[in-house]
Amino acid sequence: MSEREIFEDTSAERNPKRKEPKQISFRVSEPEFEKLKRSAESLQMSVPAFVKSKAQGLRS
């Protein structure tokens, strides 16, 4: 196996095919996170799903 083949094999393992390949991350304060968490829990959603729905302008 050549170096290129080894690199391509390991690269594929690190970058799995995802339905949504782009990721956005940001930081929030502890109080902000707790507020997001409470809101998400009240709707039986995860925090990431809740934040994504808010970013897309969906009403909850």
Side-chain angles (χ1 to χ4, degrees):
M1 188 177 264
S2 72
E3 282 185 46
R4 182 178 179 169
E5 290 170 325
I6 292 169
F7 175 76
E8 288 172 354
D9 283 347
T10 57
S11 177
E13 290 172 12
R14 284 180 287 177
N15 299 318
K17 300 265 187 245
R18 296 185 185 265
K19 180 180 170 187
E20 298 168 326
K22 299 297 182 188
Q23 180 178 0
I24 299 172
S25 61
F26 58 95
R27 295 185 180 274
V28 295
S29 68
E30 192 68 32
E32 290 169 329
F33 180 79
E34 289 303 319
K35 184 177 179 182
L36 290 169
K37 185 177 172 185
R38 283 192 306 274
S39 296
E41 286 174 350
S42 72
L43 298 170
Q44 299 178 338
M45 299 174 76
S46 66
V47 173
F50 177 76
V51 172
K52 184 175 178 180
S53 72
K54 287 297 190 184
Q56 293 172 333
L58 303 176
R59 292 188 175 255
S60 46

